[in-house]
Amino acid sequence: MDALTVFGLGAVAAMLLCYALEDRSPSYVLGFAGACVLGSIYGFAQGAWPFGVLEAAWAVVAARRWRLRIAERRT
């Protein structure tokens, strides 16, 4: 396994872990967004630009979900 593959595996594993735990804390939703950014970087670095674009979109969606959960907790 080369370094790029290990990086991608780590990004996807972090996404899975954060997604599974996101009901526990908004921090996991933010972690999911960050892991999606890493997945996007992996996709572009590997040359799979459609994967990179979709992961970037998921990062934006997750960041918005995190912001909404934080606002929800304040009220």
Side-chain angles (χ1 to χ4, degrees), residues 2-3 12 18 20 26-28 32 36 38 45 48-49 57 59 61 65 71 73:
D2 64 349
V12 172
C18 288
S27 298
Y28 287 110
F32 180 75
C36 286
L38 295 177
W49 66 266
V61 168
R65 287 179 43 232
R73 288 182 102 183

Side-chain angles (χ1 to χ4, degrees), residues 23 26 64-75:
D23 287 338
R64 182 176 185 275
R65 287 179 43 232
W66 171 76
R67 192 179 71 212
L68 292 173
R69 286 197 182 187
I70 292 295
E72 192 176 272
R73 288 182 102 183
R74 290 183 186 161
T75 60

Side-chain angles (χ1 to χ4, degrees), residues 32-54:
F32 180 75
C36 286
V37 169
L38 295 177
S40 178
I41 292 168
Y42 168 73
F44 284 115
Q46 184 191 23
W49 66 266
F51 181 81
V53 169
L54 289 175

Side-chain angles (χ1 to χ4, degrees), residues 6-7 11-12 16 20 25 29-30 33 35 37-38 41 47 54-55 62-63 70:
V6 172
F7 176 78
V12 172
L16 179 63
S25 169
V29 180
L30 185 60
V37 169
L38 295 177
I41 292 168
L54 289 175
E55 286 299 327
I70 292 295

